[in-house]
Amino acid sequence: MNPRLTIATAGRVLQQIRADHRTVGLLIVVPVVLIGLLAWIFSGTRVFDNIGAPLLGVFPFVVMFLVTSVTTLRERSSGTLERLLSTPLGKGDFLAGYALAFGALAVVQALVATGFAVWVFGLDVAGPRWLLVVVAVVDAVLGTATGLFVSAFARTEFQAVQFMPAFVLPQFLLCGLLVPRDGLPRALELFSDVLPLSYAVDAMRTLTARVDAAGDVGRDVAIVAAFAVAAIALGSLTLRRRTA
Amino acid sequence: MTHSQAPAVVVEGLRVIRGSREVIPGISLTVPRGEVVGLLGPSGGGKTTLLRSIVGVQVVAGGTVTVLGEPAGSPGLRSRVGYVTQSPSVYGDLTVRANLTYFAALAGAPRGAVERTIEAVDLTTDADSPVDRLSGGQCSRVSLGAALVGSPELLILDEPTVGLDPVLRRDIWAMFHRLADDGTTLLVSSHVMDEATRCDRLLLLREGHLLADDTPDGLLARTGAPDAERAFLALIETEEAA
């Protein structure tokens, strides 16, 4: 890997996103609107304080998964990926460049969404607030890493979009938001143990409930980050310089 | 010109199978350094597959391809070989300048390479337009520029003049010869036979077989045909009669 090429690639990806004002708007505004809607639905109850933080982790995961899988698929189908792999750019540089670019975007998204949740919609958490941003950013990077990996198995943009319900919704159902994970049937509980989103939501729940959250949250964040690294490593196996 | 050097490309017994079809059943050829070599023949004849094998992005079934003294696709070759695919492979949502700046960074090109390339492919007035807004011919010139910007020693160009008007085609071919005079080797595919006369040397490919490897004059003399197109037809007839 070559840091200069990684940064050049991240810069190029950010330039492309910047040229697309509507996507930037959607990326930043949609999570805020959803969080606001949630606060409004549950106004006058404690529900928003309980599920607000977990959803603050889920939204960036979903959004980044979608954006990344479609962008990289476009890169594969337009022939630019084949061209890039015939240049000195390494596969690791390519993937890390994408992760870096979308990670930077995730920082902005998480700061805006968390800021609105806490100061405008009155989200009250027991743990430190800055940890909300850290967890949200790691979740977004996980979404990017999974999107990079999954895009290898899609031939069209339609298929890539369909991977969202296929990969993301089962994780959402099992992550402990609908039914706490220890209350799930045993088989499903075990299955939820190997899904990354479960740990993302666990981290946010701990943060919601406990003042001394940092240790447990740190462990969950490390697990989510490990999933992200594994997804990027698997993704690099799907990039082939030589094709049939 | 530097004919004394080893050839830029040496292909020996190359076999390529795509799906269940043997696209190239076994081909051997050389491309001398510092020349513009045309790879001509009908579409579906294996031109793109041969070019991809030389770039090192094609899975091959057998034989060897040596490029600038190294096996095709070696990491050391990635900054020395430029490849322009048939359909423009650049970023449509970025400007011409942003595209070339990125590819220049990947190739480690010196400062000034971007502006020089923009001039060379005649896109100065459109340098700050997104590529999506340009015409087809302009897009292919951006794609060509993305390969030129790294000043590679060997340029592999797959049908670079498709969709270009005659004036631009003449200018692009003039640029190819300028690059060759500076020592670059160019392998240019085309299915337009009248481009044959613009090459220093010709490779005629049909159904994965090499029909001829000659200079344009040599080819005409050998077949007694008045132009490249009829020389090509004559070669096919001789082959079918044999």
Side-chain angles (χ1 to χ4, degrees), chain B residues 21-59:
Chain B
R21 205 165 80 88
E22 195 170 49
V23 184
I24 297 181
I27 202 172
S28 298
L29 56 90
T30 58
V31 175
R33 278 194 204 232
E35 292 198 0
V36 181
V37 177
L39 176 62
L40 287 95
S43 7
K47 295 192 299 290
T48 298
T49 306
L50 176 60
L51 295 182
R52 282 170 45 87
S53 306
I54 293 171
V55 176
V57 294
Q58 174 70 50
V59 175

Side-chain angles (χ1 to χ4, degrees), chain A:
Chain A
M1 275 183 61
N2 178 332
R4 194 178 54 79
L5 301 185
T6 305
I7 289 167
T9 303
R12 186 265 298 171
V13 173
L14 284 174
Q15 257 183 323
Q16 284 180 286
I17 297 169
R18 207 177 53 192
D20 183 353
H21 301 293
R22 198 170 298 175
T23 294
V24 175
L26 288 170
L27 280 174
I28 304 298
V29 171
V30 168
V32 171
V33 170
L34 290 176
I35 291 287
L37 192 60
L38 200 70
W40 196 10
I41 293 172
F42 293 111
S43 53
T45 71
R46 291 282 303 153
V47 179
F48 178 60
D49 283 336
N50 289 330
I51 64 168
L55 285 176
L56 216 47
V58 171
F59 292 151
F61 171 74
V62 174
V63 171
M64 287 303 179
F65 175 89
L66 263 181
V67 173
T68 316
S69 53
V70 172
T71 325
T72 37
L73 183 73
R74 233 197 282 168
E75 186 111 52
R76 284 174 201 270
S77 54
S78 69
T80 46
L81 181 63
E82 177 172 288
R83 168 172 237 157
L84 292 181
L85 291 178
S86 75
T87 72
L89 182 76
K91 297 176 194 176
D93 297 321
F94 175 80
L95 290 169
Y98 262 94
L100 213 62
F102 284 116
L105 206 60
V107 171
V108 178
Q109 188 192 45
L111 281 173
V112 173
T114 312
F116 267 89
V118 171
W119 285 296
V120 179
F121 307 124
L123 178 69
D124 194 14
V125 294
R129 286 167 180 168
W130 61 268
L131 263 182
L132 286 174
V133 178
V134 173
V135 178
V137 169
V138 175
D139 291 352
V141 172
L142 174 72
T144 293
T146 324
L148 282 169
F149 173 60
V150 162
S151 77
F153 302 100
R155 295 208 169 276
T156 64
E157 292 186 15
F158 268 137
Q159 289 177 10
V161 172
Q162 290 302 320
F163 277 130
M164 210 279 276
F167 266 77
V168 174
L169 285 188
Q171 295 199 54
F172 181 75
L173 296 178
L174 294 171
C175 71
L177 265 182
L178 301 183
V179 175
R181 290 206 294 129
D182 53 13
L184 288 169
R186 183 71 184 139
L188 291 181
E189 188 191 342
L190 289 174
F191 184 45
S192 78
D193 282 345
V194 296
L195 299 176
L197 199 62
S198 305
Y199 297 93
V201 168
D202 280 355
M204 287 299 207
R205 291 180 81 93
T206 313
L207 203 48
T208 303
R210 300 220 320 259
V211 182
D212 59 335
D216 282 356
V217 171
R219 196 205 56 178
D220 284 332
V221 163
I223 294 175
V224 174
F227 270 106
V229 171
I232 288 186
L234 285 174
S236 79
L237 296 179
T238 68
L239 299 177
R240 302 204 176 279
R241 287 189 194 272
R242 279 182 194 268
T243 51

Side-chain angles (χ1 to χ4, degrees), chain B residues 62 109 128 177 219:
Chain B
D128 293 308
H177 283 284
L219 185 69

Side-chain angles (χ1 to χ4, degrees), chain B:
Chain B
M1 299 220 184
T2 46
H3 294 279
S4 54
Q5 289 180 357
V9 180
V10 181
V11 176
E12 278 170 338
L14 175 70
R15 278 180 66 232
V16 180
I17 297 164
R18 300 187 76 178
S20 55
R21 205 165 80 88
E22 195 170 49
V23 184
I24 297 181
I27 202 172
S28 298
L29 56 90
T30 58
V31 175
R33 278 194 204 232
E35 292 198 0
V36 181
V37 177
L39 176 62
L40 287 95
S43 7
K47 295 192 299 290
T48 298
T49 306
L50 176 60
L51 295 182
R52 282 170 45 87
S53 306
I54 293 171
V55 176
V57 294
Q58 174 70 50
V59 175
V60 303
T64 58
V65 182
T66 309
V67 177
L68 305 171
E70 292 185 57
S74 305
L77 287 176
R78 286 180 200 137
S79 55
R80 301 170 67 198
V81 178
Y83 175 40
V84 182
T85 50
Q86 203 167 340
S87 50
S89 46
V90 285
Y91 299 98
D93 43 3
L94 292 182
T95 64
V96 174
R97 186 174 276 117
N99 267 289
L100 296 187
T101 306
Y102 178 52
F103 285 104
L106 296 187
R111 270 173 181 285
V114 172
E115 297 308 317
R116 272 203 305 280
T117 307
I118 290 174
E119 256 173 63
V121 293
D122 193 21
L123 286 169
T124 316
T125 48
D126 299 294
D128 293 308
S129 305
V131 173
D132 275 342
R133 302 233 186 99
L134 303 180
S135 71
Q138 289 172 316
C139 283
S140 24
R141 276 183 284 152
V142 182
S143 198
L144 177 61
L148 287 179
V149 77
S151 313
E153 292 166 55
L154 172 64
L155 260 174
I156 308 283
L157 308 167
D158 200 354
E159 309 250 357
T161 55
V162 168
L164 299 186
D165 63 76
V167 176
L168 206 55
R169 244 168 54 178
R170 183 199 63 199
D171 293 349
I172 293 267
W173 276 97
M175 178 173 78
F176 292 166
H177 283 284
R178 277 201 308 278
L179 288 167
D181 290 343
D182 292 339
T184 308
T185 307
L186 294 96
L187 181 56
V188 186
S189 83
S190 175
H191 66 272
V192 188
M193 287 299 157
D194 66 5
E195 297 202 318
T197 49
R198 302 182 191 266
C199 302
D200 298 323
R201 204 169 177 83
L202 293 176
L203 299 166
L204 290 189
L205 194 66
R206 182 175 178 258
E207 290 168 3
H209 292 278
L210 201 58
L211 287 184
D213 176 358
D214 209 338
T215 59
D217 290 342
L219 185 69
L220 296 185
R222 187 148 64 90
T223 55
D227 57 46
E229 181 139 5
R230 271 175 273 189
F232 187 58
L233 291 171
L235 284 171
I236 293 172
E237 278 159 21
T238 331
E239 197 195 37
E240 280 172 353

